[in-house]
Amino acid sequence: MSAVEVDFLSESALADPYPAYAHLRRDAPVYWDEASGAWLVTRYSDCVEVLRDSTRFTSDPARAGIPVPTTSYTLQTMDPPEHQGLRGLFTAAYRARDLDSLTAGLNAFAASRLTGLAGRGPVDLLDGYFKPLALHAIAELVGIPEAHRPAVALAAEAMAASMDGVFDKARQAAAISSRATLSGIVDRCMRAPGKHGIIAHVARHYREAGVERDVAVHSFRLLLSPGYMSVASAAANAFVTLQAHASRLIDWDEDIAVEELLRFSGPVQALGRMCRDDLDFHGFALRRGDLVLAMLGSANRDEDRFTDPDQLLLDRRPNPHVAFGWGVHSCLGALLAKVVIRTAIGRLERQFPNVALAGTPGYIDQAVVRCPETVPVHLEP
């Protein structure tokens, strides 16, 4: 590797991006990447600075002088103060859900799913278990009827793949139709909401919160897509990591261990912001409209923030990782994601104490959402 050269879509980086991150943190912590046309920020302190300072680094392209269609305005692409009412509406809707009931239902779903997979020979836990659990959890939370869930899954996977458009422009087109699909499903659910779910709450309260209906509808994309693919990827990464270290989640304090698994092998490797104005960032001249990528996967392995960052320490405390971002745009569904990971792996290890990988997983050719291609195991009672 040369002094300042990385290719996050190379075979070696897809298999293990962490040496490339360490290289950049050491030699080029603020790095102009020609392939993506973006500044890559790799140190923990710099990533936090970019993510929390919306006065310099905006999520709203219009504030950086880039025109966008109204359908692009969501919970993720609005900054304070406009963001606050929308975030408050979704936060209140989230808190109104009975998480204990959701967790109990998820446990029952997981047990049933595992029973159905047992005794079949090698099975792929990613498609057969982690993805169905993540889809069930987010659909139940949001209030998506069964009939719409397959379409949600397909669109969410396409959106996750399109996030790599920053490194490979050919992948950007997939996002357009998938965004429309998700917004269309939410729009239909908003017109006839059930009694439960975040959609029902938002449908009842968006006017009094001063939120435009279309913005609320489009914002659900930011729950459904990450709530499905990022959570499924997080669970798969966590299980593969535990297997690689000959560890079991249930042998540790599960809440603390899940935080470390997210730090060590989180699914989302980068979050983007844009410069609102020309600025000097640690000696580099950034221009208005420049894209800045906060490399979360690198920040979570920063030796200046974490002791022994490349070691998996399942009792690590404190653990201020940035797997779910930082600041006002931090992931709204972080708590549910942790519940899914804990439930998925805990139920698996209890139901099949000797579960083991039946092969070494490769990784999908995506640099932004990191996930194994398959998770092959034998499930024998």
Side-chain angles (χ1 to χ4, degrees):
M1 185 183 297
S2 68
V4 284
E5 182 180 352
V6 293
D7 178 4
F8 287 111
L9 291 175
S10 69
E11 185 176 346
S12 60
L14 291 171
D16 182 5
Y18 299 103
Y21 294 151
H23 173 72
L24 287 179
R25 285 196 307 274
R26 181 183 65 248
D27 296 330
V30 182
Y31 169 69
W32 175 256
D33 180 49
E34 290 288 348
S36 62
W39 294 96
L40 274 53
V41 175
T42 49
R43 289 179 178 169
Y44 182 96
S45 59
D46 293 342
C47 288
V48 170
E49 182 179 353
V50 167
L51 294 176
R52 72 182 178 189
D53 187 355
S54 59
T55 63
R56 291 187 298 157
F57 302 100
T58 182
S59 296
D60 182 354
R63 294 190 177 188
I66 301 170
V68 293
T70 56
T71 54
S72 293
Y73 281 104
T74 69
L75 189 63
Q76 187 183 52
T77 59
M78 296 175 71
D79 284 330
E82 294 84 359
H83 172 269
Q84 292 166 341
L86 184 60
R87 177 87 180 194
L89 172 66
F90 275 81
T91 299
Y94 190 104
R95 290 174 177 169
R97 297 292 285 128
D98 183 349
L99 194 58
D100 289 339
S101 176
L102 283 172
T103 303
L106 186 62
N107 260 298
F109 185 89
S112 175
R113 194 81 192 181
L114 288 171
T115 298
L117 293 173
R120 294 187 182 181
V123 297
D124 176 15
L125 287 182
L126 180 62
D127 282 342
Y129 183 59
F130 294 129
K131 284 184 179 180
L133 258 66
L135 180 62
H136 176 84
I138 192 61
E140 290 292 311
L141 175 72
V142 172
I144 301 292
E146 290 277 359
H148 293 308
R149 295 181 187 183
V152 166
L154 288 174
E157 291 195 31
M159 280 191 66
S162 75
M163 291 174 68
D164 261 44
V166 68
F167 293 109
D168 180 358
K169 306 305 183 194
R171 305 188 186 196
Q172 293 178 347
I176 298 173
S177 61
S178 56
R179 287 172 185 165
T181 296
L182 291 178
S183 291
I185 290 171
V186 171
D187 180 65
R188 290 192 291 275
C189 292
M190 285 268 286
R191 294 181 189 281
K195 294 181 180 180
H196 306 290
I198 293 180
I199 284 178
H201 182 99
V202 170
R204 290 193 299 267
H205 298 288
Y206 73 88
R207 292 184 183 87
E208 65 193 66
V211 173
E212 293 183 18
R213 185 184 184 280
D214 285 350
V215 173
V217 167
H218 299 317
S219 291
F220 275 99
R221 299 194 302 248
L222 281 307
L223 288 179
L224 291 171
S225 183
Y228 170 53
M229 265 313 293
S230 295
V231 172
S233 301
N237 288 346
F239 176 74
V240 169
T241 297
L242 287 165
Q243 290 280 302
H245 290 79
S247 295
R248 298 196 311 168
L249 181 65
I250 59 177
D251 292 336
W252 302 82
D253 181 309
E254 294 180 29
D255 290 330
I256 295 173
V258 165
E259 298 290 350
E260 174 67 351
L261 289 163
L262 286 163
R263 181 199 71 83
F264 190 85
S265 56
V268 179
Q269 299 292 295
L271 289 176
R273 298 290 187 267
M274 284 160 285
C275 297
R276 290 186 63 166
D277 297 291
D278 294 352
L279 60 93
D280 178 279
F281 188 72
H282 302 290
F284 292 86
L286 279 58
R287 302 303 180 192
R288 186 184 191 208
D290 278 359
L291 177 63
V292 181
L293 295 180
M295 305 302 290
L296 306 184
S298 176
N300 283 334
R301 298 287 190 98
D302 190 340
E303 45 283 305
D304 288 338
R305 188 63 185 87
F306 299 96
T307 302
D308 299 321
D310 292 322
Q311 290 188 30
L312 181 73
L313 304 176
L314 293 169
D315 57 354
R316 185 186 294 271
R317 296 187 75 178
N319 197 344
H321 64 77
V322 291
F324 295 113
W326 194 274
V328 297
H329 288 289
S330 60
C331 178
L332 190 63
L335 180 58
L336 181 70
K338 295 172 190 178
V339 168
V340 172
I341 297 166
R342 189 174 65 241
T343 300
I345 298 177
R347 172 56 60 186
L348 174 64
E349 292 175 345
R350 290 181 176 91
Q351 202 159 329
F352 297 95
N354 299 315
V355 64
L357 283 171
T360 302
Y363 281 80
I364 59 177
D365 63 340
Q366 293 177 199
V368 177
V369 177
R370 179 167 163 78
C371 182
E373 290 181 306
T374 62
V375 184
V377 298
H378 291 282
L379 292 180
E380 302 297 338

